[in-house]
Amino acid sequence: MSAHTKSKSWDVVVIGAGPGGYVAAIRAAQLGLSVAIIEREHLGGICLNWGCIPTKALLRSSEVFHLMHRAAEFGLSADKIKYDLGAVVKRSRKVAGQLSGGIGHLLKKNKITVIMGQAALLAKGRISVKTDNGVDELLAKNIILATGARARELPGLEADGKQVWTYKHALDPPHMPKKLLVIGSGAIGIEFASFYNTLGSETTVVEVLDRVLPVEDEEISKIAKKQFEKQGMKIMQKAMVKKLDRAKGKITAHIEAGGKVEKHVFDTVISAVGIVGNVENLGLEELGVKLDRTHVVTDEFCRTGIAGLYAIGDIAGAPWLAHKASHEGMMVAELIAGKKPHPVKPQSIAGCTYCTPQVASVGYTEAKAKELGYEIKVGRFPFMGNGKAIALGEPEGLVKTIFDAKTGELLGAHMIGAEVTELIQGYVIGRQLETTEEDLINTVFPHPTLSEMMHESVLDAYGRVVHM
């Protein structure tokens, strides 16, 4: 940690060192600005320490475990397959720790002052920081709020860390659930349901909306539900957990579905019902910063309406994704340095869910494109028609593309199946470059790869599909 003096002045002070904040700080430093970053807990924020990264490490373990059970299909044999939950979690924490340490190194390399403490805005351009050594005051020409978000807790369903968990408890579990209830089927809920179900927990997922993964295209949600059920999950849609009766060793959930309430007994519950922005105790209301349901209201350049005060990432609203936060951080740093960056368009940001099968998407769903009045062409290609997918033993899945029938613009792409989180970037780049169907049709995709399905899906939208 660099030393800092009382009333030291900076070009930029960033509050929060998650994937939005630390990237904003690094980019601002690269552009020659003096930068300090304040973090109350962990460098790397939730994403590196308790979110994106450690969950992927856990899911990799469950994926390998799942494949070990399929050994015979590949002409291999594996006997007495078992897992050690403690070792699985230890690996996940080690991965998170390694990356968090890496952030410290990057900040030091870029000569950014790191202050560990709790920040609050005293006035425009003035920040107080409560550290272990007392309270300091900093002056900043520009302030970037990147304080992130935390799990939403519903009344009566609050986590206790023993029987009822948030994502944090689920990442470092006190026990292996035998009968697990997951409340919420967004990315976080489904990833944990997938992990624990694969390791043998009898898993039930309750979703208040009419389908799992409700932000995804409806066709993808249907395929996902079918695959989850095939893996032994119980999926309850249009259902709501009204209350939890907690007793020693068991929890009775009162679940309302189809107009009637039924009781179901579990030993563990994971609550994944969304997030709320960390907007408290920052002095935002006193400064006149506009809030909307725990999020800071900003314009397309993340400006709050108070000169020199910006908000990026989860605190600035949906989509709540690390890569969106990082990109906003870079954009704001460039704006402060007098450059002319492009605003971040929510429709250009891909969403990835690392359950089995994986799900990835960018742009509009079919329903949304129609609702916006587009005349559309839709193409589909199944994994079953792809040589590489068959060779990998992954024949379940679909690539779906949606085009504007008038202009050939790629409006949306939606995928489910093996490794689609790595494939989606092809369509993300296509959209960024304002690619039309003609460009994609004339692109030569390598063989044999899963990416060929992306080509075939485009061909299908225009009645030219070959392998189906």
Side-chain angles (χ1 to χ4, degrees), residues 143-390:
I143 298 168
I144 302 173
L145 296 171
T147 54
R150 62 185 183 276
R152 181 187 297 279
E153 298 226 58
L154 296 178
L157 311 183
E158 294 92 350
D160 53 39
K162 294 179 180 73
Q163 292 173 295
V164 183
W165 300 348
T166 63
Y167 63 88
K168 267 194 175 178
H169 308 117
L171 277 168
D172 194 356
H175 61 262
M176 180 65 192
K178 290 183 181 69
K179 281 196 76 177
L180 172 67
L181 169 63
V182 177
I183 309 171
S185 76
I188 295 170
I190 282 296
E191 286 184 357
F192 281 122
S194 199
F195 172 74
Y196 284 107
N197 187 68
T198 301
L199 293 188
S201 297
E202 194 182 316
T203 305
T204 299
V205 177
V206 171
E207 172 54 57
V208 70
L209 297 173
D210 62 354
R211 56 200 174 87
V212 290
L213 295 169
V215 303
E216 299 298 338
D217 188 87
E218 199 169 337
E219 202 170 339
I220 301 295
S221 289
K222 279 183 181 151
I223 296 168
K225 177 175 185 260
K226 204 170 152 188
Q227 286 300 311
F228 298 151
E229 287 177 336
K230 199 170 153 187
Q231 292 161 21
M233 270 188 224
K234 184 180 179 187
I235 305 283
M236 299 176 75
Q237 298 171 152
K238 287 205 228 173
M240 188 184 277
V241 179
K242 302 301 276 186
K243 69 171 185 158
L244 299 173
D245 297 333
R246 307 177 199 214
K248 194 169 166 47
K250 69 168 190 175
I251 302 171
T252 306
H254 299 246
I255 304 173
E256 186 185 317
K260 59 180 194 287
V261 177
E262 287 183 350
K263 292 181 187 178
H264 300 262
V265 177
F266 303 92
D267 60 70
T268 311
V269 177
I270 297 175
S271 176
V273 289
I275 62 170
V276 291
N278 293 323
V279 292
E280 302 86 356
N281 308 317
L282 284 168
L284 299 181
E285 294 87 343
E286 293 80 356
L287 265 184
V289 175
K290 198 172 167 202
L291 300 177
D292 176 23
R293 289 166 297 180
T294 80
H295 294 96
V296 175
V297 178
T298 67
D299 69 3
E300 61 179 352
F301 287 104
C302 297
R303 293 179 290 217
T304 62
I306 310 283
L309 182 65
Y310 303 83
I312 63 170
D314 287 355
I315 196 182
W320 296 288
L321 299 165
H323 43 287
K324 172 249 196 188
S326 297
H327 213 80
E328 285 179 341
M330 287 204 253
M331 175 191 72
V332 168
E334 291 186 8
L335 202 62
I336 290 167
K339 307 266 183 205
K340 293 192 168 67
H342 294 286
V344 179
K345 294 186 188 124
Q347 284 310 320
S348 305
I349 295 165
C352 296
T353 307
Y354 298 79
C355 44
T356 303
Q358 290 183 7
V359 175
S361 58
V362 67
Y364 298 127
T365 61
E366 185 177 349
K368 186 68 180 174
K370 285 176 179 166
E371 185 194 310
L372 291 170
Y374 286 101
E375 190 189 321
I376 58 173
K377 283 185 184 286
V378 180
R380 295 173 183 83
F381 196 81
F383 271 54
M384 189 59 92
N386 176 265
K388 178 75 181 288
I390 303 296

